[in-house]
Amino acid sequence: MACPLAAHTATMKGTMTETKSKTTPITWLLVLLPVLLVLDLCIGAWFFQVQQQQQQQQVESQLTAIGQLKINEIIAWRQRMLDEAALLTESPFFARGLEQYSENSQLDNARGLLDSIRSMTAHYHYPGVLLVNSHGTVVVSYGPFVGKGKTTGLETLITRAMSERQAVLSDFYTDTREEGAFLAVATPLFVNGKADMGLLGAIILICDPDNFLFPLIRNWPIPSETAESLLIQDD
């Protein structure tokens, strides 16, 4: 005859075993859930950091490309200014006109020069053009900057152009007769337009940076609320 106590004990063990088998998955889930949450947060933080680095690299590459584009355009603009001035050196027209007008300052001698200068300022947007003799004194002027018989205030630039016998671009400067900053290109004039001949003087082209240079610096090729570019002189 089976013992009731033993049967009862066996029944309790069976019940406890069944309970343990039922609660074990829940226990594991409670243990794994925080681990999964931490792992998910780590993956999310890593992904955010990678995405942020990629965006920063993209912005840096974009800024570098735009900056290089602006530098190239400024270099091309500067070279264009010097090339235009060099053409005047090679042309005998201004040299001959300066020579004739220096010898005889009658209006008829200056009319051809003034017409050419007026046309040049209209097409190339120079606010002023000056012709100076070899002493740096203004012989013919067009624009509001300097009158005939006066010095230009650009003696250093003119001296450089004459001594180097080539076109030279100035730094930014201000003029008391006009508001704002200006640039100037001085190029020497020789007898018959030949650099190996005698020096007659120079022609100075006054440039307004607002016509091209300043808008190039201020404008940004893509929409941006904070982007800006600056000109910095390395002393």
Side-chain angles (χ1 to χ4, degrees):
M1 183 175 178
C3 178
L5 181 59
H8 180 68
T9 301
T11 303
M12 289 181 63
K13 286 182 177 181
T15 303
M16 291 175 62
T17 302
E18 184 178 357
T19 303
K20 284 184 178 181
S21 64
K22 288 182 179 181
T23 57
T24 297
I26 298 175
T27 303
W28 277 107
L29 182 61
L30 293 175
V31 172
L32 288 175
L33 184 60
V35 176
L36 292 175
L37 288 175
V38 172
L39 182 62
D40 183 63
L41 289 174
C42 291
I43 292 174
W46 172 81
F47 179 77
F48 175 78
Q49 186 176 9
V50 170
Q51 190 177 37
Q52 192 176 38
Q53 290 176 349
Q54 290 177 345
Q55 290 178 347
Q56 183 176 354
Q57 291 175 354
Q58 183 180 5
V59 171
E60 290 176 353
S61 299
Q62 189 180 78
L63 289 174
T64 301
I66 293 174
Q68 190 60 51
L69 176 64
K70 286 179 176 287
I71 290 172
N72 292 340
E73 290 184 346
I74 291 174
I75 292 174
W77 167 82
R78 180 181 183 276
Q79 190 59 50
R80 185 169 65 250
M81 295 288 297
L82 294 174
D83 290 344
E84 290 174 359
L87 289 175
L88 301 179
T89 295
E90 297 172 0
S91 172
F93 175 79
F94 285 99
R96 187 165 52 248
L98 175 60
E99 188 174 17
Q100 292 175 352
Y101 190 70
S102 298
E103 295 174 353
N104 185 0
S105 59
Q106 296 300 318
L107 181 61
D108 290 341
N109 293 332
R111 183 171 288 114
L113 277 176
L114 290 174
D115 289 342
S116 297
I117 290 174
R118 190 178 295 110
S119 176
M120 188 166 52
T121 57
H123 287 91
Y124 295 100
H125 306 291
Y126 296 123
V129 177
L130 310 172
L131 277 174
V132 300
N133 58 24
S134 57
H135 302 292
T137 304
V138 177
V139 177
V140 178
S141 66
Y142 184 83
F145 293 91
V146 182
K148 177 185 173 183
K150 299 181 180 180
T151 56
T152 63
L154 298 169
E155 285 74 21
T156 302
L157 179 70
I158 296 171
T159 301
R160 276 188 59 200
M162 291 182 178
S163 62
E164 297 177 13
R165 304 177 79 84
Q166 64 179 1
V168 179
L169 180 66
S170 75
D171 290 329
F172 292 102
Y173 73 95
T174 57
D175 193 290
T176 57
R177 289 163 288 263
E178 289 290 313
E179 294 182 357
F182 297 92
L183 291 165
V185 181
T187 190
L189 296 176
F190 304 99
V191 175
N192 296 326
K194 296 181 180 179
D196 57 348
M197 301 293 285
L199 179 68
L200 295 172
I203 184 169
I204 299 94
L205 309 175
I206 309 298
C207 312
D208 186 353
D210 278 323
N211 288 338
F212 178 80
L213 184 60
F214 286 168
L216 172 64
I217 296 172
R218 285 193 297 263
N219 293 339
W220 202 254
I222 58 176
S224 175
E225 296 181 356
T226 58
E228 63 178 353
S229 52
L230 303 173
L231 277 181
I232 300 175
Q233 184 175 3
D234 186 11
D235 294 329

